[in-house]
Amino acid sequence: DAGVTQSPTHLIKTRGQQVTLRCSPISGHKSVSWYQQVLGQGPQFIFQYYEKEERGRGNFPDRFSARQFPNYSSELNVNALLLGDSALYLCASSLEQPRGNTIYFGEGSWLTVV
Amino acid sequence: AQSVTQLDSQVPVFEEAPVELRCNYSSSVSVYLFWYVQYPNQGLQLLLKYLSGSTLVKGINGFEAEFNKSQTSFHLRKPSVHISDTAEYFCAVSEPGRRALTFGSGTRLQVQP
């Protein structure tokens, strides 16, 4: 079975631009979470979606938004990109909500903002 | 608020030697604890987790961890490491009912021949 898949794997954007990152969860998984991992740091929680509804939000500005589709795939959008948004963006899925349930991470999308 | 401290940013060790990666957490309530491994240019893979019950947890690839509530620690151990264990290791905590994991800053394990 395919794991969590993310696209694109690498991208370069200019300050002020907008970016959309995509995630397909493991088949049958209803929950998707997004994390940002800045180089040299641990991942930080951005959003969690379950059954197409936002169920959790981390301490990120409103420039960050996400949604989950009926097929449980998800998109993360970041507007007005800043240099500090350069990071690895990780998507994770779990069968149910991640309350102790194992969450499975994708390989991430590397975003470089220049 | 919960937080995780990984006390060592880098741990060099020779192949076949034992290793311990240290993790301390702070939380006002009971917690779930996790260790993840990240190989270069890859996502995170779960090594093991503690939810409740036995404080000694066994994971994949020969790793184990012990939950110590009085010391608020969850140290990761392996009795004999391999070159292939070279990677970044992250400790994470979650509170029951919360939907997010809080990660430490990571420990880079460097296994030398």
Side-chain angles (χ1 to χ4, degrees), chain A residues 35 37 48 97 99-100 102, chain B residues 36 38 43 49 90 99-101:
Chain A
Y35 286 79
Q37 186 178 15
Q48 187 249 330
Q97 297 213 61
R99 293 172 177 149
T102 299
Chain B
Y36 281 86
Q38 186 174 37
K49 64 180 179 181
F90 292 96
R99 297 173 174 84
L101 292 175

Side-chain angles (χ1 to χ4, degrees), chain B residues 7-102:
Chain B
L7 298 159
D8 306 297
S9 59
Q10 293 190 64
V11 174
V13 63
F14 288 107
E15 193 172 19
E16 297 183 7
V19 70
E20 178 179 83
L21 306 183
R22 297 181 292 169
C23 172
N24 286 88
Y25 68 92
S26 67
S27 175
S28 57
V29 297
S30 60
V31 294
Y32 298 146
L33 293 157
F34 306 81
W35 275 100
Y36 281 86
V37 61
Q38 186 174 37
Y39 298 104
N41 300 315
Q42 293 189 25
L44 299 167
Q45 181 183 8
L46 180 68
L47 282 176
L48 48 80
K49 64 180 179 181
Y50 171 80
L51 303 183
S52 64
S54 173
T55 57
L56 184 62
V57 181
K58 293 192 182 297
I60 62 171
N61 300 341
F63 285 94
E64 64 180 32
E66 185 155 20
F67 170 57
N68 187 320
K69 187 174 182 179
S70 63
Q71 298 189 2
T72 60
S73 68
F74 191 55
H75 300 333
L76 181 71
R77 302 190 196 99
K78 186 169 183 178
S80 175
V81 296
H82 303 289
I83 296 287
S84 60
D85 292 323
T86 295
E88 191 86 22
Y89 291 79
F90 292 96
C91 180
V93 64
S94 175
E95 294 173 358
R98 282 184 58 90
R99 297 173 174 84
L101 292 175
T102 299

